[in-house]
Amino acid sequence: MSGRSFAAIDIGTTKVCTIVAEVSPHGELRILGVGIGPSAGLTRGMVDNIPAAIEAIASSVERAERASGSRNFSAHVGIAGPHVSSMNSRGIVAVADPRHPVTEGDVQRALDAARIINAPTDRDVVHVIPRFYVVDGQDHVVDPVGMFGTRLDVETHVVTAASAAIHNLVQCVEGSGVRVDSLVLEPLAAAEATIDSEELRHGVVLCDIGGGTTEISVCVDGAVAHTAVLPVGGVAMTRDLVVALRVPHPAAERAKREYGHAIPSMVDAEEAIEIDAFGADGTKSVPRRRLAEVLQARAEELFEMVSAEVRRGAEPELLSAGVVLTGGAASLEGIELLAEDVIGLPARVGRPRHLAGLSDLLHDPAYATSVGLLRWSLREQEIQFRSSSPASAVPIGGLLRKVAHMMRVVLPQ
């Protein structure tokens, strides 16, 4: 695996981030090149201008290739948007030969059965993620291969997306000269980069607050139980500032990043900031607490929506590890305190970890999805590498087998 480069592209409403990386001898991700540029042609995670989106993606890819000194013809790409929906599905099959242990073929048939859902013809299945297995009534089996039984059930989480939205996104990426290896739901990717095994074990929520959307992934007992995409994000906060303060959008965005706070009471009531404004003067003095009040109102509304969505997926009592916040808006000062207060669960800001190379820029919650896409790609490459090895005929361990099962059905068919 060492020395092999691979790429990921995070196409958001406000930015496009392309990362080229390789695996170090110690198993770390070594970042070779990063290309970040403004996004165009997308609204709330969905393509609405193909030529503009192609140009924005091509610019980001070119920057990453120039920084890394390598040309990548394929990448894993994040997908999000209000068109994404999810459900839990169960696949049930009879074990092919009850006289012998359950085989990987039996598991694959069960996963294929779970993939058959009652979905409209204009929607495609993006992920089928196994949550747990049941062998002859024995519940919550992690890996059924090697066990004896006559019936095999698998409980899965199925993610679907609008076919047109998928085709538009793929067309934009391929129009920039890059082949799409797979599409990965963005909150699942962000979780790969920021959530540890202890949090997964005890139940955790990943809340990725992007520019145009907020993506949610609820994990219970180490498995995905619910995912959702909300059509509101950091751009809505900026627009609120434009309306409330009567200032241009760039000035509102800059003020949000430099002086914003989610808790007005924690801001000095006497502090004021100078900000570019409409009108003859061109600038105005604004109380910083007023800025915080506007941001708090929108953030509270957002977290109330998140809280309602979390409760659709799991009982709060099962989410001991609380909420991990990622995305550009997660950098807003005090936002984790507001999230704890509104959602009623512990909260922290998640940042990508265990990176080497040109990684200084990526230790930021805004790049959790980008790094998570790399980790997703790495996991797939590990499976392909092992399966192509002569030693692959030897039975693999339970954990790797479980990962292999997951990757085989998670990638779009």
Side-chain angles (χ1 to χ4, degrees), residues 72-85:
N72 280 274
F73 297 95
S74 65
H76 293 252
V77 179
I79 184 172
H83 63 96
V84 175
S85 64

Side-chain angles (χ1 to χ4, degrees), residues 84-400:
V84 175
S85 64
S86 67
M87 62 181 293
N88 292 329
S89 173
R90 175 167 285 213
I92 305 172
V93 297
V95 176
D97 187 353
R99 296 171 300 176
H100 293 87
V102 174
T103 65
E104 294 201 24
D106 295 321
V107 173
Q108 187 58 53
R109 288 190 300 112
L111 292 171
D112 290 340
R115 192 182 186 91
I116 302 173
I117 58 174
N118 185 21
T121 56
D122 62 348
R123 298 189 69 80
D124 289 338
V125 175
V126 180
H127 297 304
V128 180
I129 305 173
R131 299 178 58 210
F132 59 84
Y133 298 90
V134 181
V135 180
D136 283 358
Q138 182 179 343
D139 209 352
H140 285 81
V141 174
V142 174
D143 181 9
V145 175
M147 297 179 65
F148 283 87
T150 59
R151 168 174 157 165
L152 175 64
D153 299 21
V154 59
E155 186 74 23
T156 66
H157 184 70
V158 181
V159 178
T160 66
S163 303
I166 291 176
H167 294 155
N168 289 337
L169 180 61
V170 171
Q171 181 180 353
C172 291
V173 176
E174 294 185 344
S176 68
V178 178
R179 187 179 72 251
V180 177
D181 282 333
S182 72
L183 296 176
V184 182
L185 187 62
E186 292 187 355
L188 300 180
E192 286 276 344
T194 58
I195 293 178
D196 59 36
S197 58
E198 185 72 9
E199 289 173 320
L200 280 174
R201 186 179 306 115
H202 297 294
V204 66
V205 178
L206 189 286
C207 180
D208 185 56
I209 312 173
T213 60
T214 295
E215 294 98 32
I216 302 163
S217 174
V218 181
C219 297
V220 179
D221 293 331
V224 179
H226 181 66
T227 53
V229 179
L230 303 176
V232 62
V235 170
M237 299 180 187
T238 305
R239 287 176 180 162
D240 288 348
L241 292 177
V242 171
V243 173
L245 305 181
R246 294 187 173 88
V247 299
H249 191 280
E253 180 67 23
R254 186 165 52 252
K256 180 184 75 173
R257 293 179 180 274
E258 296 179 4
Y259 304 105
H261 204 294
I263 310 293
S265 60
M266 298 181 68
V267 175
D268 186 352
E270 304 299 322
E271 184 178 358
I273 60 173
E274 289 292 323
I275 184 172
D276 294 337
F278 294 115
D281 293 338
T283 61
K284 67 190 303 184
S285 178
V286 176
R288 189 184 175 197
R289 178 168 286 188
R290 173 60 178 154
L291 187 78
E293 289 170 350
V294 175
L295 294 174
Q296 181 194 37
R298 176 63 73 172
E300 275 188 349
E301 180 187 32
L302 172 60
F303 288 137
E304 286 169 358
M305 296 170 66
V306 170
S307 180
E309 201 63 55
V310 167
R311 282 169 169 76
R312 289 191 183 98
E315 292 296 329
E317 292 75 15
L318 301 177
L319 304 170
S320 300
V323 181
V324 177
L325 302 172
T326 61
S331 297
L332 179 65
E333 194 172 352
I335 195 167
E336 70 275 22
L337 302 177
L338 184 63
E340 285 191 0
D341 184 53
V342 176
I343 302 176
L345 294 171
R348 70 173 179 88
V349 175
R351 293 176 171 81
R353 295 170 291 184
H354 309 302
L355 299 173
L358 306 175
S359 61
D360 292 347
L361 178 65
L362 301 178
H363 288 289
D364 186 287
Y367 303 107
T369 297
S370 307
V371 175
L373 289 169
L374 283 176
R375 296 201 182 281
W376 199 281
S377 173
L378 172 60
R379 188 193 296 175
E380 184 195 4
Q381 285 201 18
E382 285 177 344
I383 293 167
Q384 292 175 346
F385 176 74
R386 289 175 181 269
S387 64
S388 63
S389 169
S392 62
V394 179
I396 56 179
L399 178 59
L400 179 60

Side-chain angles (χ1 to χ4, degrees), residues 58-84:
S59 175
S60 172
V61 170
E62 182 183 357
R63 294 179 188 182
E65 290 176 344
R66 192 183 305 122
S68 64
S70 62
R71 169 65 180 165
N72 280 274
F73 297 95
S74 65
H76 293 252
V77 179
I79 184 172
H83 63 96
V84 175

Side-chain angles (χ1 to χ4, degrees), residues 4-64:
R4 287 179 155 188
S5 65
F6 51 103
I9 306 177
D10 174 17
I11 307 169
T13 303
T14 58
K15 73 176 187 309
V16 179
C17 178
T18 302
I19 308 178
V20 181
E22 67 177 8
V23 185
S24 73
H26 303 292
E28 284 186 319
L29 280 176
R30 178 182 291 123
I31 306 301
L32 302 178
V34 180
I36 302 171
S39 183
L42 279 88
T43 301
R44 292 180 177 175
M46 299 176 66
V47 176
D48 59 8
N49 186 327
I50 287 179
I54 290 175
E55 184 177 350
I57 295 169
S59 175
S60 172
V61 170
E62 182 183 357
R63 294 179 188 182

